[in-house]
Amino acid sequence: MQSYDEYQKHIRYKYGYYSFEIITFLTLFNYFLSALYDFQWAETKELEIIVIIFIANIYSLIMFSYRGAYLAKWQSPKRYSIIYFVFGIAIMTLSFFLSSPLVSNGRITSSILLFLIGLVLIRISCTYLVTRFVVDKLNSNDIGGR
């Protein structure tokens, strides 16, 4: 964390805490669904926990990227966005060509993990693009129009 400034550290701690709260809430919700209704939405309980962690991870990475706290100041966001997007598409495509399906008998299979990894990488680059080209332009037009 030495390569991040104080603002970036604050944002990373803040949304890291929020993602921990998401993990806690979703795990408790999943437990109550399982205990009260005997409901299982993945092949195994371990896979359910891993998917819950990925959901919180996706949230925190989107917020890190949106707030400018994902990459250090010396790293090139454009270069990393392109790299993440290409690898994300490749990994998601690979997940569709595996022999096992993503969903089987109404339950998520372990093949979903590659899809989620690809989704995480794509979300980082998409968040950067939306932030830089849409939100920043809207903010600059709002400030310039006053």
Side-chain angles (χ1 to χ4, degrees), residues 25-60:
F25 173 76
L26 289 178
T27 303
L28 288 173
F29 183 71
N30 188 41
Y31 171 76
F32 288 122
L33 276 180
S34 175
L36 295 176
Y37 300 107
D38 195 31
F39 180 73
Q40 186 173 347
W41 49 272
E43 283 182 326
T44 63
K45 291 293 183 185
E46 292 84 9
L47 184 60
E48 288 179 354
I49 297 299
I50 291 170
V51 171
I52 288 171
I53 291 171
F54 265 102
I55 291 169
N57 188 8
I58 289 171
Y59 168 77
S60 65

Side-chain angles (χ1 to χ4, degrees), residues 12-26 52-53 55-61 64:
R12 292 177 74 85
Y13 290 135
K14 178 181 176 180
Y15 291 109
Y17 174 74
Y18 290 163
S19 66
F20 177 74
E21 286 181 342
I22 290 170
I23 290 172
T24 304
F25 173 76
L26 289 178
I52 288 171
I53 291 171
I55 291 169
N57 188 8
I58 289 171
Y59 168 77
S60 65
L61 290 175
F64 292 165

Side-chain angles (χ1 to χ4, degrees), residues 6-129:
E6 290 301 317
Y7 171 77
Q8 289 176 314
K9 288 178 185 177
H10 169 71
I11 293 298
R12 292 177 74 85
Y13 290 135
K14 178 181 176 180
Y15 291 109
Y17 174 74
Y18 290 163
S19 66
F20 177 74
E21 286 181 342
I22 290 170
I23 290 172
T24 304
F25 173 76
L26 289 178
T27 303
L28 288 173
F29 183 71
N30 188 41
Y31 171 76
F32 288 122
L33 276 180
S34 175
L36 295 176
Y37 300 107
D38 195 31
F39 180 73
Q40 186 173 347
W41 49 272
E43 283 182 326
T44 63
K45 291 293 183 185
E46 292 84 9
L47 184 60
E48 288 179 354
I49 297 299
I50 291 170
V51 171
I52 288 171
I53 291 171
F54 265 102
I55 291 169
N57 188 8
I58 289 171
Y59 168 77
S60 65
L61 290 175
I62 287 172
M63 294 310 293
F64 292 165
S65 300
Y66 180 72
R67 298 290 181 185
Y70 182 70
L71 299 173
K73 294 292 183 185
W74 56 270
Q75 293 174 319
S76 171
K78 289 180 184 177
R79 180 182 314 143
Y80 283 97
S81 291
I82 293 169
I83 291 170
Y84 289 150
F85 188 78
V86 169
F87 279 115
I89 292 292
I91 291 172
M92 284 179 75
T93 305
L94 179 67
S95 71
F96 289 118
F97 291 118
L98 290 176
S99 60
S100 63
L102 298 178
V103 178
S104 175
N105 297 329
R107 293 184 179 171
I108 295 173
T109 64
S110 59
S111 298
I112 198 78
L113 295 178
L114 277 178
F115 179 79
L116 289 174
I117 291 169
L119 185 64
V120 166
L121 294 174
I122 289 173
R123 290 292 177 192
I124 293 169
S125 61
C126 289
T127 304
Y128 170 74
L129 293 174

